[in-house]
Amino acid sequence: MMDWQGQKLSELLMQIMLVTFAVVAFVVGYSIGSFQTMLLIYASGVILTTLVTVPNWPWFNRHPLNWLDPIEAERNPKPQPLASKKKPSSKHHQK
């Protein structure tokens, strides 16, 4: 499972790669006057970006979370918040 910092890295890589491929695709497509080439470059970038950022690669899990074992969690239950007493309303009926 990807950790929080891995998710942040994956999101950052996705944004950088998609913008980079969009700019490159536009510049190349515009310079050679080919809309088809522009779309092919961008579609290739989307596929490559998906292959890099979606799978759970090891470099996205460098800071794994340490979860308690179920037995340990039962021994140390989560503290429950104290029930707060509601203060009586300070508004008085005025006539």
Side-chain angles (χ1 to χ4, degrees):
M1 186 161 108
M2 194 181 298
D3 60 47
W4 295 109
Q5 291 163 336
Q7 289 178 7
K8 184 177 180 181
L9 176 62
S10 177
E11 176 77 17
L12 180 65
L13 278 173
M14 180 202 65
Q15 291 176 357
I16 291 170
M17 290 177 74
L18 287 178
V19 169
T20 302
F21 276 107
V23 170
V24 169
F26 178 78
V27 169
V28 171
Y30 186 79
S31 66
I32 65 173
S34 174
F35 187 74
Q36 181 180 8
T37 302
M38 181 185 73
L39 285 179
L40 286 174
I41 291 172
Y42 186 67
S44 300
V46 169
I47 291 170
L48 181 63
T49 300
T50 302
L51 291 174
V52 169
T53 60
V54 171
N56 188 17
W57 297 108
W59 60 81
F60 292 138
N61 198 19
R62 291 184 184 163
H63 309 282
L65 298 173
N66 295 322
W67 295 91
L68 287 177
D69 291 330
I71 295 172
E72 186 67 26
E74 289 174 5
R75 283 189 212 145
N76 300 311
K78 181 179 175 183
Q80 299 298 320
L82 297 175
S84 63
K85 296 180 181 179
K86 291 187 177 181
K87 294 182 180 179
S89 178
S90 61
K91 294 182 182 178
H92 297 282
H93 295 288
Q94 296 179 356
K95 292 186 180 181

